[in-house]
């Protein structure tokens, strides 16, 4: 066993130890030694780093993608199968658990790298395929079969007939900065991260940049909050830097509550040190001595990886007291969220950390002036902080060179729903939604027609086909009634009912409303009721219900405006967005529900009508037996029929019919 | 049911705890016990110097906390947007019908408890359900019975070996 990177001294002249930290530690480990000039020492360091970068392998390495999505697809069983394969054949190979490379639909992913050759990624390697894949790959017989692609690496010999991963249609249009190392490096080893340049930005900031300069640099880069709001990060930091206080806090918001977004989870699981480095830089910039990571309890794996990463960073003296001899102290603490969507709101999040009900309070005072425990507090999202090391390392101009006039850099989107390739895609700002859905996502699955893409979660909106060429940018998305949000992109096809989608979001919002202010608490519930009435069938309706339904429809817009204008926090102010946006782009669907009492997509159960096709019915009577409302009549061996007045529209008959004789209208 | 000794040992890990330790303590107790009992809440209140009503106020605010014992197998059904679009409502219906319980309840034999969660972050593989930490991806309503049966068999096997 080789000593840890930090203990591996090139010669006796290396003086770094825990009591006497070296300010140039990271640079020295990377391209050192710095304090003395010696070719053999340099050679030693270079060899060590090349080994950690897996450029000089002595035995094969097998990587298994073990993010939460990989585990859900069966990566755990794949890993067991790999270990069994190796022990049965008494073969020597390293097995490494990595995070998620981003292409969830091809999971479980398994990579094989044999000495001297580039690393190859195999897709959909379920446990039963492991033997076949390894039988071919370990002796070096890799063909394009079942291969997703090979990683590009100039220092290693490529496979001749295997396509490159970065030419795959899912990866080619992406600009991977935040996700650069996700799924590639071992997230449980800080040494690998350092060998790939990790913590270089932090030591650069500590050694060369004053907090003021750091804030300036981040402001000039044009980085804006990736959690949804889009507030310029550098400017936010300056508020806290300019406020005098004995303690300041930094909070990393990893309470990824938006249903349909999972980029924060993937970053933490796959590359936790990038986040920690971003946190350390941000804390230094605002003068915070304690940082909290507020993370969802639903992400157990991410929490585990973070805990380990914090302990490792501490071991290298990159966190704790007097970091690398700079006099800067930082303690990082994990706080587990307890499941409340509203805790994504800054002041609610602060209350939650303080051990109170997570309810927002009016602003000002802003948290940057008075936040956690009444001290200046900055709250940044995971993706925002993960962007910071790149900016410090490469400069503001490098970052600002990508993107649009008002939105710089990249954005990670979580692509899900009815699209061929689902997963995480990081694209440059200014990429069109069409490119994301059709080029990266590979278009709609099962050959269906595109209907809409929902962006920004419960606070966002839908983008119809006519607006597909819109560029991703904080401002442009607002013009179509959507928001950037945290970056969840849920693709919907012709089988999705937009009224049902609006109802789904209102149901979510009214459950998650904290109840503090009346417009949000009562308004969202009334709004849900209106949508429920629209999608309710006429079967059990009396005269009064019909009137109420129409009254609701007439007041829908007005109610939405009141909620937007008078709610206390962002949750309430954006709550009507899903309804307003679907109403704007899919008015015809609302009209079909309201006037024709039918659901064009066939989703709203109560608006479906069932009929038995007499030609197809064999008269088996199964449907009549299973019908919970006794609405199906007939005699055996002759066609049955449904009594429309008694039918409750549950759809059981259509499910049980073996002859496809039940027609849905 | 956690004995009072176990609650005591959790509380002892937080000496001189202030209000900001409340949620972590609640989480630890629930982790041990599967739910928050009345006794546990009163004792936590005494430890922190807070009235039990305040503790209840905080605990009921968050979705994570339960006040009823969990079933032997705890089923979480994801109701995120992606899962919804891919038909998680029908999966939930199927589970509710098969177990004859509503979300938030436990079956009478204590075997299964059902919970709806906002999003598990496995949106690429929707619809997703999770039984005691095992993920099932791309679940169709007609597969539900099969999944539940595997757990019933598992319980029966364990009962036999004991």
């Amino acid at each position: 066993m080789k000593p840890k990177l930090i203990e591996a001294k090139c010669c006796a002249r290396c003086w770094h130890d825990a009591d006497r930290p070296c300010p140039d530690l990271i640079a020295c480990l990377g391209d050192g030694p710095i304090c003395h000039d010696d070719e053999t020492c340099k050679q030693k360091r270079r060899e060590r780093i090349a080994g950690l970068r897996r450029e000089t392998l002595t035995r094969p390495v097998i990587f298994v993608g073990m993010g939460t999505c990989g585990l859900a697809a069966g990566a755990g069983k794949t890993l067991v199968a790999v270990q069994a394969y190796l022990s049965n054949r008494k073969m020597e190979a390293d097995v490494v658990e990595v995070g998620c490379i981003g292409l969830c639909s091809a999971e479980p992913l398994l990579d094989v790298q044999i000495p001297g050759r580039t690393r190859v990624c195999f897709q959909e390697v379920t446990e039963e395929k492991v033997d076949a894949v390894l039988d071919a790959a370990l002796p070096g017989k890799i063909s394009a079969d079942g291969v997703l692609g090979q990683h590009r690496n100039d220092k290693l010999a490529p496979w001749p007939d295997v396509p490159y991963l970065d030419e795959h249609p899912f990866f080619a249009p992406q600009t991977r900065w935040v996700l650069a190392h996700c799924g590639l490096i071992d997230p449980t080893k800080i040494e690998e991260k350092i060998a790939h340049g990790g913590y270089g930005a932090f030591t650069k900031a500590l050694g060369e940049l004053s907090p003021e300069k750091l804030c300036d640099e981040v402001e000039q880069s044009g980085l804006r909050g990736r959690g949804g709001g889009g507030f310029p990060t550098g400017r936010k930091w300056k508020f806290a830097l300019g406020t005098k206080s004995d303690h300041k806090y930094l909070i990393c918001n990893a309470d990824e509550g938006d249903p349909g977004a999972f980029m924060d989870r993937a970053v933490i699981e796959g590359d936790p040190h990038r986040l920690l480095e971003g946190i350390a830089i941000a804390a230094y910039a605002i003068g915070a001595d304690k940082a909290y990571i507020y993370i969802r309890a639903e992400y157990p794996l991410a929490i585990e990886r973070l805990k380990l990463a914090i302990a490792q960073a501490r071991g290298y003296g990159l966190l704790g007291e007097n970091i690398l001899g700079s006099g800067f102290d930082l303690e990082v603490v994990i706080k587990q969220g307890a499941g409340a969507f509203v805790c994504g709101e800054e002041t609610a999040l602060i209350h939650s950390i303080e051990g109170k009900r997570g309810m927002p309070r009016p602003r000002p005072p802003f948290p940057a002036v008075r936040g956690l425990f009444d001290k200046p507090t900055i709250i940044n999202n995971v993706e925002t902080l993960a962007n910071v090391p790149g900016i410090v390392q490469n400069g503001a101009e490098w970052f600002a060179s990508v993107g649009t006039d008002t939105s710089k850099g990249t954005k990670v989107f979580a692509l899900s729903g009815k699209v061929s390739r689902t997963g995480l895609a990081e694209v440059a700002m200014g990429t069109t939604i069409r490119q994301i859905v059709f080029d990266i996502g590979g278009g709609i699955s099962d050959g269906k027609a595109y209907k809409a893409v929902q962006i920004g979660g419960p606070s966002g909106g839908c983008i119809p086909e006519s607006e597909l060429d819109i560029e991703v940018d904080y401002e442009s998305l607002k013009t179509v009634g959507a928001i950037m949000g945290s970056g969840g992109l849920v693709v919907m096809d012709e089988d999705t009912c937009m009224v049902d989608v609006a109802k789904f979001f209102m149901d979510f919002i009214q459950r998650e409303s904290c109840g503090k202010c009346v417009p949000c608490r009562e308004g969202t519930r009334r709004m849900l009721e209106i949508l429920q009435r629209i999608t309710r069938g006429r079967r059990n309706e009396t005269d009064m219900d019909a009137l109420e339904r129409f009254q609701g429809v007439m007041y829908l817009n007005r109610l939405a405006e009141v909620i937007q204008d008078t709610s206390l926090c962002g949750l309430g102010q954006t709550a009507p967005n899903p309804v307003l946006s679907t109403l704007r782009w899919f008015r015809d669907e609302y009209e079909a529900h309201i006037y024709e009492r039918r659901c064009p997509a066939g989703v709203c159960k109560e608006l479906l009508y069932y009929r038995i096709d007499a030609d197809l019915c064999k008269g088996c009577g199964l449907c009549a037996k299973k019908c919970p409302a006794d609405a199906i009549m007939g005699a055996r061996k002759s066609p049955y029929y449904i009594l429309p007045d008694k039918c409750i529209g549950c759809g059981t008959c259509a499910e049980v019919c073996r002859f496809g004789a039940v027609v849905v209208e | 049911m956690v004995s009072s000794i176990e609650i005591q040992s959790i509380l002892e890990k937080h000496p001189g705890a202030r209000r900001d330790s409340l949620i972590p303590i609640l989480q630890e107790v629930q982790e041990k016990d599967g739910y928050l009992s009345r006794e546990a809440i009163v004792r936590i209140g005494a430890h922190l110097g807070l009235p039990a009503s305040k503790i209840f106020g905080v605990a009921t605010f968050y979705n994570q906390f339960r006040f009823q014992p969990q079933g032997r197998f705890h089923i979480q059904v994801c109701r995120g947007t992606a899962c919804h679009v891919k038909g998680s409502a029908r999966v939930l219906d199927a589970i509710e019908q098969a177990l004859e319980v509503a979300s938030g309840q436990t079956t009478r034999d204590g075997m299964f408890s059902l919970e709806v969660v906002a999003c598990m972050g496995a949106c690429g593989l929707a619809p997703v359900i999770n039984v005691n930490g095992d993920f099932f991806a791309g679940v169709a309503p007609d597969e539900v019975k099969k999944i539940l049966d595997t757990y019933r068999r598992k319980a029966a096997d364990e009962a036999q070996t004991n």
Side-chain angles (χ1 to χ4, degrees), chain B residues 53-114:
Chain B
S53 60
K54 286 266 181 204
I55 313 270
F56 256 113
V58 171
T60 50
F61 184 85
Y62 296 98
N63 298 329
Q64 191 190 6
F65 299 116
R66 283 182 300 272
F67 304 94
Q68 276 179 357
Q70 224 176 359
R72 169 117 188 254
F73 300 108
H74 186 61
I75 306 174
Q76 291 181 319
V77 181
C78 182
R79 287 285 277 129
T81 320
C83 288
H84 178 77
V85 169
K86 290 256 191 155
S88 66
R90 283 186 294 131
V91 175
L92 181 64
D93 279 352
I95 297 176
E96 286 184 336
Q97 270 179 21
L99 296 178
E100 295 179 350
V101 292
S103 160
Q105 293 178 339
T106 306
T107 52
R108 212 170 271 182
D109 57 4
M111 188 79 82
F112 293 101
S113 51
L114 183 60

Side-chain angles (χ1 to χ4, degrees), chain B residues 73 98-99 111-112 148-157:
Chain B
F73 300 108
L99 296 178
M111 188 79 82
F112 293 101
L148 295 177
D149 281 343
T150 36
Y151 284 95
R152 286 204 182 99
R153 262 202 307 277
K154 201 169 152 188
D157 288 350

